[in-house]
Amino acid sequence: MRGKRIVITGATSGIGQALARDLAGRGPDITLLARSADRAATTAAMLAELPGSAGQPEVVLCDLADLASVRKAAAELHSRYSAIDVLVNNAGMRTFNPEPSADGYELMMASNHLGPFLLTNLLLD
């Protein structure tokens, strides 16, 4: 997988982090799309140490529940890379108390569906 660019959402914990660890050992160039700069930096440092890793993954900050943040992240990805070979939309959240997102949508719907849908469509070209 050397020379391939993989962008992963939700890679700072859980299944996303397990997937990122597995992929990093295969040598692609990885970009972590994350809400928390601190958690992303910790995960990137851990991935860089893995045998077979292509080095330190890059980080793009993005809150998938905030559509302006998604648009900004997509623009940043476009400016950084001429191509993305794989996009893994892994990020997700669950809440039992409905609350609005920055755009007025239900937070879980915005984070789990609207944000990833917008991100994917902005990166299709």
mmCIF file of all heavy atoms in Angstrom, residues 2 7 20 23-24 30 33 36 41 54 56 63 68 71 73 76 83 87-88 96 109 113:
data_model
loop_
_atom_site.group_PDB
_atom_site.id
_atom_site.type_symbol
_atom_site.label_atom_id
_atom_site.label_comp_id
_atom_site.label_asym_id
_atom_site.label_seq_id
_atom_site.Cartn_x
_atom_site.Cartn_y
_atom_site.Cartn_z
ATOM 1 N N ARG A 2 2.162 1.109 -0.103
ATOM 2 C CA ARG A 2 3.048 2.275 -0.145
ATOM 3 C C ARG A 2 2.640 3.190 -1.299
ATOM 4 O O ARG A 2 2.296 2.738 -2.379
ATOM 5 C CB ARG A 2 4.490 1.844 -0.316
ATOM 6 C CG ARG A 2 5.003 1.115 0.892
ATOM 7 C CD ARG A 2 6.344 1.664 1.329
ATOM 8 N NE ARG A 2 6.777 0.948 2.529
ATOM 9 C CZ ARG A 2 6.672 1.455 3.752
ATOM 10 N NH1 ARG A 2 6.183 2.643 3.927
ATOM 11 N NH2 ARG A 2 7.080 0.766 4.794
ATOM 12 N N VAL A 7 -7.373 8.521 4.087
ATOM 13 C CA VAL A 7 -7.930 9.468 5.056
ATOM 14 C C VAL A 7 -8.917 8.687 5.917
ATOM 15 O O VAL A 7 -9.803 8.012 5.393
ATOM 16 C CB VAL A 7 -8.633 10.652 4.354
ATOM 17 C CG1 VAL A 7 -9.299 11.567 5.376
ATOM 18 C CG2 VAL A 7 -7.646 11.429 3.495
ATOM 19 N N ALA A 20 -6.627 1.967 11.793
ATOM 20 C CA ALA A 20 -5.468 2.804 11.475
ATOM 21 C C ALA A 20 -4.165 2.083 11.798
ATOM 22 O O ALA A 20 -3.204 2.159 11.029
ATOM 23 C CB ALA A 20 -5.549 4.132 12.232
ATOM 24 N N LEU A 23 -3.653 -0.588 9.061
ATOM 25 C CA LEU A 23 -3.270 0.025 7.788
ATOM 26 C C LEU A 23 -1.883 0.639 7.846
ATOM 27 O O LEU A 23 -1.112 0.525 6.890
ATOM 28 C CB LEU A 23 -4.303 1.080 7.385
ATOM 29 C CG LEU A 23 -5.667 0.546 6.954
ATOM 30 C CD1 LEU A 23 -6.646 1.691 6.780
ATOM 31 C CD2 LEU A 23 -5.547 -0.270 5.683
ATOM 32 N N ALA A 24 -1.547 1.302 8.942
ATOM 33 C CA ALA A 24 -0.235 1.957 9.065
ATOM 34 C C ALA A 24 0.896 0.957 8.888
ATOM 35 O O ALA A 24 1.919 1.276 8.277
ATOM 36 C CB ALA A 24 -0.114 2.661 10.412
ATOM 37 N N ILE A 30 -1.020 8.172 5.654
ATOM 38 C CA ILE A 30 -2.294 8.273 6.359
ATOM 39 C C ILE A 30 -2.542 9.713 6.802
ATOM 40 O O ILE A 30 -1.629 10.398 7.253
ATOM 41 C CB ILE A 30 -2.310 7.328 7.580
ATOM 42 C CG1 ILE A 30 -2.270 5.873 7.104
ATOM 43 C CG2 ILE A 30 -3.532 7.584 8.465
ATOM 44 C CD1 ILE A 30 -2.232 4.850 8.213
ATOM 45 N N LEU A 33 -8.470 12.495 10.228
ATOM 46 C CA LEU A 33 -9.436 13.584 10.301
ATOM 47 C C LEU A 33 -10.051 13.492 11.693
ATOM 48 O O LEU A 33 -10.710 12.502 12.009
ATOM 49 C CB LEU A 33 -10.501 13.400 9.225
ATOM 50 C CG LEU A 33 -11.293 14.618 8.819
ATOM 51 C CD1 LEU A 33 -10.410 15.563 8.020
ATOM 52 C CD2 LEU A 33 -12.482 14.217 7.989
ATOM 53 N N SER A 36 -10.211 16.380 17.904
ATOM 54 C CA SER A 36 -9.276 16.766 18.956
ATOM 55 C C SER A 36 -7.836 16.723 18.450
ATOM 56 O O SER A 36 -7.326 15.658 18.092
ATOM 57 C CB SER A 36 -9.424 15.820 20.149
ATOM 58 O OG SER A 36 -8.349 15.958 21.037
ATOM 59 N N ALA A 41 -2.784 13.893 17.720
ATOM 60 C CA ALA A 41 -1.314 13.899 17.836
ATOM 61 C C ALA A 41 -0.832 12.639 18.546
ATOM 62 O O ALA A 41 0.168 12.030 18.141
ATOM 63 C CB ALA A 41 -0.841 15.136 18.573
ATOM 64 N N ALA A 54 4.784 4.350 7.186
ATOM 65 C CA ALA A 54 5.403 5.298 6.256
ATOM 66 C C ALA A 54 5.824 6.574 6.967
ATOM 67 O O ALA A 54 6.258 7.522 6.324
ATOM 68 C CB ALA A 54 4.430 5.631 5.130
ATOM 69 N N GLN A 56 5.082 9.634 10.191
ATOM 70 C CA GLN A 56 4.069 10.340 10.974
ATOM 71 C C GLN A 56 2.843 10.651 10.117
ATOM 72 O O GLN A 56 2.946 11.351 9.116
ATOM 73 C CB GLN A 56 4.667 11.646 11.506
ATOM 74 C CG GLN A 56 3.751 12.433 12.395
ATOM 75 C CD GLN A 56 3.834 12.007 13.842
ATOM 76 O OE1 GLN A 56 4.682 11.221 14.221
ATOM 77 N NE2 GLN A 56 2.954 12.523 14.650
ATOM 78 N N ASP A 63 -14.797 18.745 12.751
ATOM 79 C CA ASP A 63 -15.934 18.288 13.537
ATOM 80 C C ASP A 63 -17.027 17.928 12.540
ATOM 81 O O ASP A 63 -17.621 18.812 11.911
ATOM 82 C CB ASP A 63 -16.406 19.391 14.484
ATOM 83 C CG ASP A 63 -17.592 18.979 15.340
ATOM 84 O OD1 ASP A 63 -18.151 17.886 15.123
ATOM 85 O OD2 ASP A 63 -17.961 19.768 16.223
ATOM 86 N N ALA A 68 -19.750 23.529 8.359
ATOM 87 C CA ALA A 68 -18.712 24.494 7.964
ATOM 88 C C ALA A 68 -17.334 23.889 8.200
ATOM 89 O O ALA A 68 -16.418 24.067 7.389
ATOM 90 C CB ALA A 68 -18.868 25.799 8.733
ATOM 91 N N ARG A 71 -16.654 21.423 5.402
ATOM 92 C CA ARG A 71 -16.265 22.126 4.166
ATOM 93 C C ARG A 71 -14.817 22.621 4.239
ATOM 94 O O ARG A 71 -14.062 22.509 3.275
ATOM 95 C CB ARG A 71 -17.213 23.296 3.895
ATOM 96 C CG ARG A 71 -18.569 22.857 3.406
ATOM 97 C CD ARG A 71 -19.476 24.058 3.078
ATOM 98 N NE ARG A 71 -20.745 23.608 2.560
ATOM 99 C CZ ARG A 71 -21.813 23.345 3.320
ATOM 100 N NH1 ARG A 71 -21.767 23.528 4.624
ATOM 101 N NH2 ARG A 71 -22.927 22.926 2.754
ATOM 102 N N ALA A 73 -12.394 21.344 6.122
ATOM 103 C CA ALA A 73 -11.506 20.180 6.077
ATOM 104 C C ALA A 73 -11.377 19.645 4.655
ATOM 105 O O ALA A 73 -10.282 19.293 4.212
ATOM 106 C CB ALA A 73 -12.015 19.087 7.018
ATOM 107 N N GLU A 76 -9.084 21.840 2.780
ATOM 108 C CA GLU A 76 -7.702 21.598 3.199
ATOM 109 C C GLU A 76 -7.159 20.311 2.581
ATOM 110 O O GLU A 76 -6.018 20.264 2.114
ATOM 111 C CB GLU A 76 -7.615 21.532 4.722
ATOM 112 C CG GLU A 76 -6.186 21.438 5.219
ATOM 113 C CD GLU A 76 -6.060 21.593 6.723
ATOM 114 O OE1 GLU A 76 -6.971 22.121 7.372
ATOM 115 O OE2 GLU A 76 -5.003 21.167 7.240
ATOM 116 N N ALA A 83 -4.660 13.578 -4.884
ATOM 117 C CA ALA A 83 -5.583 12.436 -4.905
ATOM 118 C C ALA A 83 -5.661 11.807 -3.527
ATOM 119 O O ALA A 83 -4.691 11.824 -2.762
ATOM 120 C CB ALA A 83 -5.115 11.394 -5.914
ATOM 121 N N LEU A 87 -10.995 6.683 1.447
ATOM 122 C CA LEU A 87 -11.613 7.472 2.510
ATOM 123 C C LEU A 87 -12.374 6.497 3.390
ATOM 124 O O LEU A 87 -13.260 5.787 2.918
ATOM 125 C CB LEU A 87 -12.577 8.516 1.939
ATOM 126 C CG LEU A 87 -13.451 9.259 2.957
ATOM 127 C CD1 LEU A 87 -12.593 10.070 3.931
ATOM 128 C CD2 LEU A 87 -14.466 10.150 2.240
ATOM 129 N N VAL A 88 -12.014 6.452 4.677
ATOM 130 C CA VAL A 88 -12.705 5.591 5.633
ATOM 131 C C VAL A 88 -13.553 6.489 6.534
ATOM 132 O O VAL A 88 -13.014 7.221 7.358
ATOM 133 C CB VAL A 88 -11.720 4.760 6.483
ATOM 134 C CG1 VAL A 88 -12.475 3.891 7.474
ATOM 135 C CG2 VAL A 88 -10.822 3.914 5.595
ATOM 136 N N PHE A 96 -28.147 9.849 24.006
ATOM 137 C CA PHE A 96 -29.517 9.512 24.391
ATOM 138 C C PHE A 96 -30.358 10.768 24.599
ATOM 139 O O PHE A 96 -31.565 10.697 24.737
ATOM 140 C CB PHE A 96 -29.519 8.660 25.657
ATOM 141 C CG PHE A 96 -28.904 7.310 25.431
ATOM 142 C CD1 PHE A 96 -27.618 7.037 25.861
ATOM 143 C CD2 PHE A 96 -29.592 6.316 24.758
ATOM 144 C CE1 PHE A 96 -27.033 5.805 25.638
ATOM 145 C CE2 PHE A 96 -29.022 5.079 24.524
ATOM 146 C CZ PHE A 96 -27.745 4.818 24.973
ATOM 147 N N MET A 109 -27.447 12.766 14.178
ATOM 148 C CA MET A 109 -27.706 12.695 12.740
ATOM 149 C C MET A 109 -26.648 13.491 11.970
ATOM 150 O O MET A 109 -26.128 13.038 10.949
ATOM 151 C CB MET A 109 -29.103 13.238 12.427
ATOM 152 C CG MET A 109 -29.408 13.322 10.941
ATOM 153 S SD MET A 109 -29.482 11.731 10.124
ATOM 154 C CE MET A 109 -31.108 11.217 10.563
ATOM 155 N N HIS A 113 -24.215 11.018 9.921
ATOM 156 C CA HIS A 113 -24.732 10.897 8.555
ATOM 157 C C HIS A 113 -24.462 12.123 7.680
ATOM 158 O O HIS A 113 -23.854 11.993 6.624
ATOM 159 C CB HIS A 113 -26.235 10.590 8.586
ATOM 160 C CG HIS A 113 -26.556 9.337 9.313
ATOM 161 N ND1 HIS A 113 -26.316 8.093 8.786
ATOM 162 C CD2 HIS A 113 -27.050 9.136 10.554
ATOM 163 C CE1 HIS A 113 -26.663 7.169 9.666
ATOM 164 N NE2 HIS A 113 -27.115 7.775 10.752
#
